[in-house]
């Protein structure tokens, strides 16, 4: 039987929960994006100095992609235990893992000191970052989605999503300030370590805030219900992963497809643009960083607006508008950067991120509403993170390789357009989820049988 609906939390409590999710995701994305920016700017020289500059950048982005490869594993492990033990405990663990790995990168010896061991150690720490981030996203958005007012779920759940541009803003801002205040030789010698070491302070702040919030009431109700069924009939509960693959495999595929354009476009716009602007367009690092910095602030502001719009018109229309926009903007994006004018570069990145926000904002509520409570952490995390291996992980690498092979932005634009078409197909095939109740997502009132199990066709919370 479906769990009873829970009443909306008090506004002050909800805001504290949103703040806890937001600051945690901001710190984790700061750590993750800091690596991506450093990979584009200095890691090729520090860890792959014997390579051609563009080849060194490719190798640097390859270690960047390794972090994405670990994200599905993080989604599986954190999703499983998040559905068994709760959202809050796993969010605290993911924050500690990500912050510890980032702090350690700031202490790493370079190739000049330890030779080939340097890129190996860098890769290991990048794997830890990816593993932690794979478990972070699902828990953060669920903590808000399952606490929040159902009528404004799209708006409230979009706030943890602003952690991505906030982290990008913070990472790019710190790097931009350092490159402006320091000489290039000083930055490459030791200045690049500062933003990584700052992560230690940020993690302490995030940990203090996350420990102050309560577990999701929807999860606690579903857990109590499951315990009651087990104690009453002695039934064994299936692993969340098994339940996801049995009951929600279609939703997982839709979530994976929906992320293709969102993920690929984001890393092309924010990470690869640093390579393209400084090599093909011959712009300074400072110019490229400043454009991403300002555009990220706009991105942060528009995400809650798109989330609120999804509460009014639905998740699908907003998501589709973003995918279409990204696909149509990709050719103008590179054309504007080729002008070598800062205003044009800023316009290119800003408009691209506004369209990206239309996909990213409703994504949290959209994916949360697809899955039942006792498998929601697993389902949302698997759907979101498995696609990152094929989407965000190789995006800067593929874009850099296409630039090296064709010396043109046209193949890169076609690459982004292909991703947009995949996303359009996936979202068109999805059901609208805006009006779903997270306490009774499947709308079933079927009674358990003698063994305590529900009928095979009755999926429950």
């Amino acid at each position: 039987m479906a769990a009873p609906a829970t009443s909306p939390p008090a506004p002050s409590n909800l805001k504290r929960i949103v703040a806890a999710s937001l600051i945690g995701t901001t710190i984790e994305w700061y750590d993750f994006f800091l690596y991506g920016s450093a990979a584009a700017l200095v890691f090729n020289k520090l860890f792959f100095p014997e390579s051609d500059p563009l080849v060194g950048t490719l190798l640097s982005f390859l270690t960047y992609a390794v972090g994405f490869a670990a994200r599905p594993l993080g989604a599986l492990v954190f999703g499983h235990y998040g559905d068994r033990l709760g959202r809050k405990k796993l969010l605290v663990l993911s924050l500690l893992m990500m912050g510890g790995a980032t702090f350690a990168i700031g202490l790493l010896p370079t190739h000049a000191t330890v030779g080939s061991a340097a890129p190996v150690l860098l890769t290991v720490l990048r794997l830890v970052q990816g593993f932690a981030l794979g478990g972070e996203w699902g828990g953060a958005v669920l903590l808000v989605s399952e606490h929040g007012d159902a009528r404004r779920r799209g708006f409230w759940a979009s706030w943890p999503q602003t952690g991505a541009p906030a982290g990008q803003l913070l990472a790019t801002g710190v790097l931009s300030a350092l490159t402006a205040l320091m000489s290039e030789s000083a930055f490459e010698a030791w200045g690049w370590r500062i933003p990584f070491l700052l992560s230690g302070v940020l993690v302490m702040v995030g940990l203090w805030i996350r420990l102050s919030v309560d577990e999701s009431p929807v999860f606690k109700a579903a857990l109590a219900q499951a315990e009651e069924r087990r104690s009453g009939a002695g039934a064994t509960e299936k692993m969340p992963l098994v339940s996801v693959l049995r009951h929600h495999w279609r939703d997982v595929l839709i979530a994976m497809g929906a992320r293709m354009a969102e993920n690929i476009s984001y890393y092309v716009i924010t990470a690869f643009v640093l390579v393209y602007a400084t090599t093909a367009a011959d712009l300074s690092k400072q110019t490229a960083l400043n454009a991403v910095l300002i555009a990220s602030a706009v991105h942060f502001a528009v995400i809650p607006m798109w989330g609120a719009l999804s509460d009014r018109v639905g998740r699908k229309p907003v998501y589709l508008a973003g995918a279409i926009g990204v696909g149509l903007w990709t050719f103008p994006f590179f054309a504007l950067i080729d002008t070598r004018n800062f205003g044009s570069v800023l316009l290119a990145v800003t408009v691209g991120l506004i369209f990206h926000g239309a996909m990213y904002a409703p994504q949290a509520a959209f994916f949360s509403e697809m899955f039942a409570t006792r498998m929601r952490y697993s389902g949302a995390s698997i759907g979101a993170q498995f696609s990152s291996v094929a989407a965000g992980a190789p995006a800067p690498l593929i874009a850099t390789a296409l630039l090296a092979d064709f010396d043109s932005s046209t193949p890169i634009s076609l690459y982004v357009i292909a991703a947009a078409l995949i996303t359009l197909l996936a979202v068109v095939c999805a059901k609208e989820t805006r009006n779903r109740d997270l306490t009774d997502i499947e709308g079933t009132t079927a009674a358990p049988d003698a063994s305590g199990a529900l009928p095979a066709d009755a999926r429950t919370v």
Side-chain angles (χ1 to χ4, degrees), residues 264-265 267-277 279-281 283 326-341 344-345 347-349 352 395-396 398-400 402-403 407-417:
I264 288 173
S265 66
Y267 291 105
V268 168
I269 293 169
T270 60
F272 172 71
V273 72
L274 300 177
V275 176
Y276 187 84
T279 56
L283 292 166
V326 161
L328 294 176
W329 186 247
T330 181
F331 276 107
F333 174 80
F334 287 108
L336 287 168
I337 295 174
D338 288 337
T339 65
R340 297 178 172 85
N341 176 270
S344 298
V345 174
L347 178 64
V349 179
I398 290 173
T400 304
L402 289 172
L403 180 63
D407 194 26
S408 169
S409 62
T410 299
I412 305 167
S413 297
L414 295 175
Y415 168 52
V416 176
I417 290 171

Short mmCIF file of all heavy atoms in Angstrom, two decimals, residues 264-265 267-277 279-281 283 326-341 344-345 347-349 352 395-396 398-400 402-403 407-417:
data_model
loop_
_atom_site.label_atom_id
_atom_site.label_comp_id
_atom_site.label_asym_id
_atom_site.label_seq_id
_atom_site.Cartn_x
_atom_site.Cartn_y
_atom_site.Cartn_z
N ILE A 264 26.98 16.95 -22.81
CA ILE A 264 27.97 17.26 -23.85
C ILE A 264 28.07 18.77 -24.07
O ILE A 264 29.17 19.34 -24.12
CB ILE A 264 27.63 16.53 -25.16
CG1 ILE A 264 27.91 15.03 -25.00
CG2 ILE A 264 28.44 17.10 -26.34
CD1 ILE A 264 27.46 14.18 -26.18
N SER A 265 26.93 19.44 -24.19
CA SER A 265 26.96 20.87 -24.46
C SER A 265 27.63 21.62 -23.31
O SER A 265 28.39 22.58 -23.54
CB SER A 265 25.54 21.41 -24.68
OG SER A 265 24.76 21.32 -23.50
N TYR A 267 30.04 20.71 -21.20
CA TYR A 267 31.50 20.61 -21.14
C TYR A 267 32.18 21.20 -22.38
O TYR A 267 33.33 21.62 -22.31
CB TYR A 267 31.90 19.15 -20.90
CG TYR A 267 31.52 18.71 -19.52
CD1 TYR A 267 30.44 17.87 -19.29
CD2 TYR A 267 32.21 19.19 -18.41
CE1 TYR A 267 30.06 17.52 -18.01
CE2 TYR A 267 31.84 18.84 -17.12
CZ TYR A 267 30.77 18.00 -16.93
OH TYR A 267 30.40 17.67 -15.66
N VAL A 268 31.46 21.25 -23.49
CA VAL A 268 31.98 21.96 -24.65
C VAL A 268 31.98 23.47 -24.37
O VAL A 268 32.96 24.18 -24.66
CB VAL A 268 31.16 21.64 -25.92
CG1 VAL A 268 31.52 22.60 -27.06
CG2 VAL A 268 31.41 20.21 -26.37
N ILE A 269 30.89 23.95 -23.77
CA ILE A 269 30.74 25.39 -23.53
C ILE A 269 31.67 25.90 -22.44
O ILE A 269 32.20 27.01 -22.51
CB ILE A 269 29.28 25.72 -23.17
CG1 ILE A 269 28.36 25.46 -24.36
CG2 ILE A 269 29.13 27.16 -22.70
CD1 ILE A 269 26.88 25.50 -24.03
N THR A 270 31.92 25.09 -21.40
CA THR A 270 32.68 25.59 -20.25
C THR A 270 34.11 25.07 -20.15
O THR A 270 34.97 25.76 -19.59
CB THR A 270 31.96 25.23 -18.94
OG1 THR A 270 31.84 23.81 -18.83
CG2 THR A 270 30.58 25.87 -18.88
N ALA A 271 34.40 23.88 -20.65
CA ALA A 271 35.75 23.32 -20.54
C ALA A 271 36.50 23.41 -21.87
O ALA A 271 37.58 23.99 -21.95
CB ALA A 271 35.68 21.86 -20.08
N PHE A 272 35.90 22.87 -22.95
CA PHE A 272 36.59 22.90 -24.24
C PHE A 272 36.75 24.33 -24.76
O PHE A 272 37.70 24.63 -25.49
CB PHE A 272 35.84 22.06 -25.27
CG PHE A 272 36.38 22.21 -26.66
CD1 PHE A 272 37.61 21.66 -27.00
CD2 PHE A 272 35.68 22.92 -27.63
CE1 PHE A 272 38.14 21.82 -28.27
CE2 PHE A 272 36.19 23.07 -28.90
CZ PHE A 272 37.43 22.52 -29.23
N VAL A 273 35.84 25.22 -24.39
CA VAL A 273 35.93 26.59 -24.87
C VAL A 273 37.26 27.24 -24.45
O VAL A 273 37.79 28.10 -25.17
CB VAL A 273 34.74 27.43 -24.35
CG1 VAL A 273 34.85 27.71 -22.85
CG2 VAL A 273 34.63 28.74 -25.12
N LEU A 274 37.83 26.82 -23.32
CA LEU A 274 39.11 27.36 -22.89
C LEU A 274 40.22 26.94 -23.85
O LEU A 274 41.17 27.70 -24.08
CB LEU A 274 39.43 26.88 -21.47
CG LEU A 274 38.44 27.29 -20.37
CD1 LEU A 274 38.85 26.70 -19.03
CD2 LEU A 274 38.33 28.80 -20.28
N VAL A 275 40.11 25.75 -24.40
CA VAL A 275 41.09 25.27 -25.38
C VAL A 275 40.88 25.98 -26.71
O VAL A 275 41.82 26.50 -27.32
CB VAL A 275 40.98 23.74 -25.57
CG1 VAL A 275 41.93 23.27 -26.67
CG2 VAL A 275 41.28 23.03 -24.26
N TYR A 276 39.63 26.00 -27.17
CA TYR A 276 39.33 26.59 -28.48
C TYR A 276 39.67 28.08 -28.51
O TYR A 276 40.27 28.58 -29.47
CB TYR A 276 37.86 26.37 -28.82
CG TYR A 276 37.50 26.81 -30.22
CD1 TYR A 276 37.71 25.95 -31.30
CD2 TYR A 276 36.98 28.08 -30.47
CE1 TYR A 276 37.40 26.34 -32.60
CE2 TYR A 276 36.67 28.48 -31.76
CZ TYR A 276 36.89 27.61 -32.82
OH TYR A 276 36.60 28.01 -34.10
N ALA A 277 39.29 28.79 -27.46
CA ALA A 277 39.52 30.23 -27.43
C ALA A 277 40.99 30.59 -27.39
O ALA A 277 41.42 31.56 -28.01
CB ALA A 277 38.80 30.85 -26.24
N THR A 279 43.58 28.60 -28.43
CA THR A 279 44.37 28.03 -29.52
C THR A 279 43.83 28.46 -30.88
O THR A 279 44.47 29.21 -31.61
CB THR A 279 44.41 26.49 -29.44
OG1 THR A 279 43.06 25.98 -29.42
CG2 THR A 279 45.13 26.03 -28.18
N ALA A 280 42.62 28.04 -31.22
CA ALA A 280 42.06 28.36 -32.54
C ALA A 280 41.76 29.84 -32.69
O ALA A 280 41.98 30.43 -33.76
CB ALA A 280 40.78 27.54 -32.77
N ALA A 281 41.24 30.48 -31.62
CA ALA A 281 40.89 31.90 -31.71
C ALA A 281 42.01 32.81 -31.21
O ALA A 281 41.90 34.04 -31.32
CB ALA A 281 39.61 32.17 -30.91
N LEU A 283 42.97 33.77 -28.28
CA LEU A 283 42.62 34.68 -27.20
C LEU A 283 43.44 34.35 -25.96
O LEU A 283 43.96 33.24 -25.82
CB LEU A 283 41.12 34.59 -26.88
CG LEU A 283 40.17 35.11 -27.96
CD1 LEU A 283 38.75 34.64 -27.66
CD2 LEU A 283 40.22 36.62 -28.05
N VAL A 326 20.12 24.46 -27.69
CA VAL A 326 21.53 24.10 -27.74
C VAL A 326 21.93 23.65 -29.15
O VAL A 326 22.99 24.02 -29.67
CB VAL A 326 21.84 23.00 -26.70
CG1 VAL A 326 23.14 22.28 -27.02
CG2 VAL A 326 21.92 23.61 -25.30
N GLY A 327 21.06 22.84 -29.76
CA GLY A 327 21.36 22.37 -31.11
C GLY A 327 21.44 23.50 -32.12
O GLY A 327 22.33 23.53 -32.99
N LEU A 328 20.54 24.47 -32.02
CA LEU A 328 20.52 25.59 -32.96
C LEU A 328 21.64 26.59 -32.70
O LEU A 328 22.07 27.29 -33.62
CB LEU A 328 19.17 26.31 -32.89
CG LEU A 328 17.94 25.52 -33.36
CD1 LEU A 328 16.67 26.33 -33.13
CD2 LEU A 328 18.07 25.13 -34.83
N TRP A 329 22.11 26.67 -31.47
CA TRP A 329 23.09 27.68 -31.10
C TRP A 329 24.53 27.28 -31.39
O TRP A 329 25.43 28.13 -31.42
CB TRP A 329 22.95 28.02 -29.61
CG TRP A 329 23.83 29.15 -29.15
CD1 TRP A 329 24.88 29.08 -28.28
CD2 TRP A 329 23.73 30.53 -29.53
NE1 TRP A 329 25.43 30.31 -28.09
CE2 TRP A 329 24.74 31.24 -28.86
CE3 TRP A 329 22.87 31.23 -30.38
CZ2 TRP A 329 24.93 32.60 -29.01
CZ3 TRP A 329 23.05 32.59 -30.54
CH2 TRP A 329 24.06 33.27 -29.86
N THR A 330 24.80 25.99 -31.64
CA THR A 330 26.18 25.53 -31.69
C THR A 330 27.01 26.17 -32.80
O THR A 330 28.17 26.54 -32.60
CB THR A 330 26.23 23.98 -31.78
OG1 THR A 330 27.58 23.55 -31.81
CG2 THR A 330 25.51 23.47 -33.02
N PHE A 331 26.43 26.39 -34.00
CA PHE A 331 27.19 27.06 -35.07
C PHE A 331 27.43 28.54 -34.74
O PHE A 331 28.57 29.02 -34.87
CB PHE A 331 26.48 26.89 -36.41
CG PHE A 331 26.81 25.59 -37.10
CD1 PHE A 331 25.87 24.57 -37.18
CD2 PHE A 331 28.06 25.38 -37.67
CE1 PHE A 331 26.17 23.37 -37.80
CE2 PHE A 331 28.37 24.18 -38.29
CZ PHE A 331 27.43 23.17 -38.37
N PRO A 332 26.40 29.29 -34.31
CA PRO A 332 26.68 30.67 -33.90
C PRO A 332 27.67 30.76 -32.74
O PRO A 332 28.43 31.73 -32.65
CB PRO A 332 25.30 31.19 -33.48
CG PRO A 332 24.33 30.35 -34.23
CD PRO A 332 24.96 29.00 -34.33
N PHE A 333 27.67 29.77 -31.86
CA PHE A 333 28.58 29.75 -30.71
C PHE A 333 30.04 29.88 -31.16
O PHE A 333 30.78 30.77 -30.70
CB PHE A 333 28.37 28.45 -29.92
CG PHE A 333 29.34 28.22 -28.80
CD1 PHE A 333 29.17 28.86 -27.58
CD2 PHE A 333 30.43 27.37 -28.96
CE1 PHE A 333 30.07 28.66 -26.54
CE2 PHE A 333 31.32 27.15 -27.93
CZ PHE A 333 31.14 27.80 -26.71
N PHE A 334 30.45 29.02 -32.07
CA PHE A 334 31.84 29.06 -32.53
C PHE A 334 32.11 30.26 -33.43
O PHE A 334 33.21 30.82 -33.42
CB PHE A 334 32.19 27.76 -33.24
CG PHE A 334 32.35 26.59 -32.30
CD1 PHE A 334 31.39 25.58 -32.25
CD2 PHE A 334 33.44 26.50 -31.45
CE1 PHE A 334 31.52 24.52 -31.38
CE2 PHE A 334 33.57 25.44 -30.57
CZ PHE A 334 32.62 24.44 -30.53
N ALA A 335 31.11 30.66 -34.21
CA ALA A 335 31.28 31.83 -35.08
C ALA A 335 31.56 33.08 -34.25
O ALA A 335 32.40 33.92 -34.63
CB ALA A 335 30.04 32.02 -35.95
N LEU A 336 30.87 33.22 -33.13
CA LEU A 336 31.09 34.37 -32.27
C LEU A 336 32.47 34.35 -31.61
O LEU A 336 33.12 35.39 -31.48
CB LEU A 336 29.99 34.42 -31.19
CG LEU A 336 28.60 34.85 -31.67
CD1 LEU A 336 27.56 34.58 -30.59
CD2 LEU A 336 28.60 36.33 -32.05
N ILE A 337 32.93 33.18 -31.21
CA ILE A 337 34.27 33.08 -30.62
C ILE A 337 35.33 33.42 -31.65
O ILE A 337 36.35 34.06 -31.33
CB ILE A 337 34.49 31.67 -30.04
CG1 ILE A 337 33.54 31.42 -28.86
CG2 ILE A 337 35.94 31.50 -29.57
CD1 ILE A 337 33.59 30.03 -28.32
N ASP A 338 35.11 33.03 -32.90
CA ASP A 338 36.08 33.30 -33.97
C ASP A 338 36.26 34.79 -34.26
O ASP A 338 37.23 35.19 -34.91
CB ASP A 338 35.66 32.59 -35.26
CG ASP A 338 35.85 31.08 -35.16
OD1 ASP A 338 36.67 30.64 -34.33
OD2 ASP A 338 35.17 30.34 -35.91
N THR A 339 35.34 35.62 -33.77
CA THR A 339 35.48 37.07 -33.97
C THR A 339 36.61 37.65 -33.12
O THR A 339 37.06 38.77 -33.37
CB THR A 339 34.18 37.81 -33.62
OG1 THR A 339 33.92 37.66 -32.23
CG2 THR A 339 33.01 37.29 -34.45
N ARG A 340 37.03 36.89 -32.09
CA ARG A 340 38.10 37.32 -31.18
C ARG A 340 37.73 38.59 -30.39
O ARG A 340 38.59 39.28 -29.88
CB ARG A 340 39.42 37.54 -31.93
CG ARG A 340 39.98 36.28 -32.57
CD ARG A 340 41.26 36.58 -33.34
NE ARG A 340 41.90 35.37 -33.80
CZ ARG A 340 41.58 34.75 -34.93
NH1 ARG A 340 40.62 35.24 -35.71
NH2 ARG A 340 42.22 33.65 -35.28
N ASN A 341 36.45 38.83 -30.29
CA ASN A 341 35.94 39.98 -29.54
C ASN A 341 35.36 39.49 -28.22
O ASN A 341 34.55 38.57 -28.21
CB ASN A 341 34.88 40.71 -30.38
CG ASN A 341 34.23 41.85 -29.63
OD1 ASN A 341 33.23 41.66 -28.95
ND2 ASN A 341 34.81 43.04 -29.75
N SER A 344 31.55 39.29 -27.96
CA SER A 344 30.99 38.19 -28.75
C SER A 344 31.22 36.85 -28.07
O SER A 344 30.34 35.97 -28.05
CB SER A 344 31.61 38.18 -30.15
OG SER A 344 31.32 39.37 -30.83
N VAL A 345 32.42 36.67 -27.50
CA VAL A 345 32.71 35.42 -26.77
C VAL A 345 31.78 35.29 -25.56
O VAL A 345 31.23 34.21 -25.29
CB VAL A 345 34.19 35.40 -26.33
CG1 VAL A 345 34.46 34.17 -25.45
CG2 VAL A 345 35.11 35.40 -27.53
N LEU A 347 28.80 36.60 -25.21
CA LEU A 347 27.46 36.30 -25.71
C LEU A 347 27.33 34.82 -26.07
O LEU A 347 26.32 34.17 -25.76
CB LEU A 347 27.15 37.17 -26.93
CG LEU A 347 25.79 36.94 -27.61
CD1 LEU A 347 24.65 37.30 -26.65
CD2 LEU A 347 25.70 37.75 -28.90
N ALA A 348 28.36 34.28 -26.73
CA ALA A 348 28.34 32.88 -27.14
C ALA A 348 28.18 31.95 -25.94
O ALA A 348 27.32 31.06 -25.93
CB ALA A 348 29.61 32.54 -27.91
N VAL A 349 28.99 32.16 -24.92
CA VAL A 349 28.97 31.28 -23.74
C VAL A 349 27.69 31.49 -22.93
O VAL A 349 27.08 30.52 -22.46
CB VAL A 349 30.22 31.52 -22.87
CG1 VAL A 349 30.19 30.61 -21.64
CG2 VAL A 349 31.49 31.25 -23.67
N GLY A 352 24.59 29.99 -24.68
CA GLY A 352 24.72 28.53 -24.60
C GLY A 352 24.34 28.00 -23.23
O GLY A 352 23.63 26.99 -23.11
N ALA A 395 33.53 14.39 -23.96
CA ALA A 395 33.17 15.58 -24.73
C ALA A 395 34.36 16.51 -24.99
O ALA A 395 34.64 16.84 -26.15
CB ALA A 395 32.03 16.33 -24.04
N PRO A 396 35.10 16.97 -23.95
CA PRO A 396 36.26 17.82 -24.25
C PRO A 396 37.33 17.09 -25.06
O PRO A 396 37.99 17.68 -25.91
CB PRO A 396 36.79 18.21 -22.86
CG PRO A 396 35.67 17.95 -21.92
CD PRO A 396 34.92 16.78 -22.50
N ILE A 398 36.84 14.53 -27.27
CA ILE A 398 36.39 14.41 -28.65
C ILE A 398 36.48 15.75 -29.36
O ILE A 398 36.94 15.84 -30.51
CB ILE A 398 34.95 13.85 -28.70
CG1 ILE A 398 34.93 12.38 -28.27
CG2 ILE A 398 34.35 14.00 -30.10
CD1 ILE A 398 33.54 11.80 -28.13
N ALA A 399 36.05 16.81 -28.69
CA ALA A 399 36.10 18.14 -29.31
C ALA A 399 37.53 18.55 -29.62
O ALA A 399 37.81 19.10 -30.70
CB ALA A 399 35.43 19.15 -28.38
N THR A 400 38.45 18.28 -28.70
CA THR A 400 39.87 18.62 -28.93
C THR A 400 40.44 17.80 -30.07
O THR A 400 41.19 18.32 -30.91
CB THR A 400 40.68 18.40 -27.64
OG1 THR A 400 40.12 19.16 -26.57
CG2 THR A 400 42.13 18.82 -27.84
N LEU A 402 38.76 16.47 -32.60
CA LEU A 402 38.16 16.95 -33.85
C LEU A 402 38.83 18.24 -34.31
O LEU A 402 39.07 18.44 -35.51
CB LEU A 402 36.66 17.17 -33.66
CG LEU A 402 35.80 15.91 -33.50
CD1 LEU A 402 34.36 16.29 -33.14
CD2 LEU A 402 35.82 15.08 -34.78
N LEU A 403 39.13 19.10 -33.37
CA LEU A 403 39.83 20.35 -33.71
C LEU A 403 41.22 20.07 -34.25
O LEU A 403 41.66 20.69 -35.24
CB LEU A 403 39.91 21.25 -32.48
CG LEU A 403 40.61 22.60 -32.67
CD1 LEU A 403 39.85 23.45 -33.69
CD2 LEU A 403 40.74 23.33 -31.34
N ASP A 407 40.94 21.01 -37.90
CA ASP A 407 41.26 22.42 -37.77
C ASP A 407 40.04 23.29 -38.08
O ASP A 407 40.14 24.33 -38.75
CB ASP A 407 42.42 22.79 -38.71
CG ASP A 407 43.02 24.16 -38.37
OD1 ASP A 407 42.90 24.57 -37.19
OD2 ASP A 407 43.55 24.82 -39.28
N SER A 408 38.88 22.84 -37.59
CA SER A 408 37.62 23.52 -37.86
C SER A 408 36.64 23.22 -36.74
O SER A 408 36.69 22.14 -36.12
CB SER A 408 37.03 23.07 -39.20
OG SER A 408 35.70 23.52 -39.36
N SER A 409 35.73 24.15 -36.48
CA SER A 409 34.72 23.93 -35.45
C SER A 409 33.49 23.20 -35.99
O SER A 409 32.63 22.77 -35.20
CB SER A 409 34.28 25.28 -34.86
OG SER A 409 33.68 26.09 -35.86
N THR A 410 33.38 23.05 -37.31
CA THR A 410 32.18 22.43 -37.90
C THR A 410 31.93 21.02 -37.38
O THR A 410 30.79 20.70 -36.99
CB THR A 410 32.28 22.43 -39.43
OG1 THR A 410 32.37 23.78 -39.89
CG2 THR A 410 31.07 21.75 -40.06
N PRO A 411 32.93 20.11 -37.35
CA PRO A 411 32.67 18.77 -36.81
C PRO A 411 32.23 18.80 -35.35
O PRO A 411 31.43 17.96 -34.93
CB PRO A 411 34.01 18.05 -36.97
CG PRO A 411 34.74 18.81 -38.01
CD PRO A 411 34.32 20.23 -37.84
N ILE A 412 32.72 19.76 -34.59
CA ILE A 412 32.34 19.87 -33.18
C ILE A 412 30.88 20.29 -33.07
O ILE A 412 30.13 19.78 -32.24
CB ILE A 412 33.26 20.86 -32.45
CG1 ILE A 412 34.72 20.47 -32.65
CG2 ILE A 412 32.92 20.93 -30.96
CD1 ILE A 412 35.71 21.55 -32.24
N SER A 413 30.46 21.21 -33.93
CA SER A 413 29.07 21.65 -33.95
C SER A 413 28.14 20.49 -34.30
O SER A 413 27.08 20.31 -33.69
CB SER A 413 28.88 22.79 -34.95
OG SER A 413 29.63 23.92 -34.58
N LEU A 414 28.54 19.69 -35.28
CA LEU A 414 27.73 18.53 -35.68
C LEU A 414 27.65 17.51 -34.55
O LEU A 414 26.61 16.85 -34.36
CB LEU A 414 28.32 17.89 -36.94
CG LEU A 414 28.27 18.77 -38.21
CD1 LEU A 414 29.00 18.07 -39.36
CD2 LEU A 414 26.84 19.09 -38.60
N TYR A 415 28.71 17.38 -33.80
CA TYR A 415 28.75 16.48 -32.64
C TYR A 415 27.71 16.91 -31.59
O TYR A 415 26.95 16.09 -31.06
CB TYR A 415 30.17 16.51 -32.08
CG TYR A 415 30.39 15.88 -30.73
CD1 TYR A 415 29.97 14.59 -30.44
CD2 TYR A 415 31.07 16.59 -29.74
CE1 TYR A 415 30.22 14.01 -29.20
CE2 TYR A 415 31.31 16.03 -28.49
CZ TYR A 415 30.89 14.74 -28.23
OH TYR A 415 31.13 14.18 -27.00
N VAL A 416 27.65 18.20 -31.29
CA VAL A 416 26.67 18.72 -30.33
C VAL A 416 25.25 18.57 -30.86
O VAL A 416 24.32 18.20 -30.12
CB VAL A 416 26.97 20.19 -30.00
CG1 VAL A 416 25.90 20.76 -29.07
CG2 VAL A 416 28.35 20.34 -29.35
N ILE A 417 25.05 18.82 -32.14
CA ILE A 417 23.72 18.67 -32.75
C ILE A 417 23.24 17.22 -32.67
O ILE A 417 22.06 16.96 -32.38
CB ILE A 417 23.74 19.17 -34.21
CG1 ILE A 417 23.89 20.69 -34.23
CG2 ILE A 417 22.46 18.76 -34.94
CD1 ILE A 417 24.13 21.25 -35.62
#
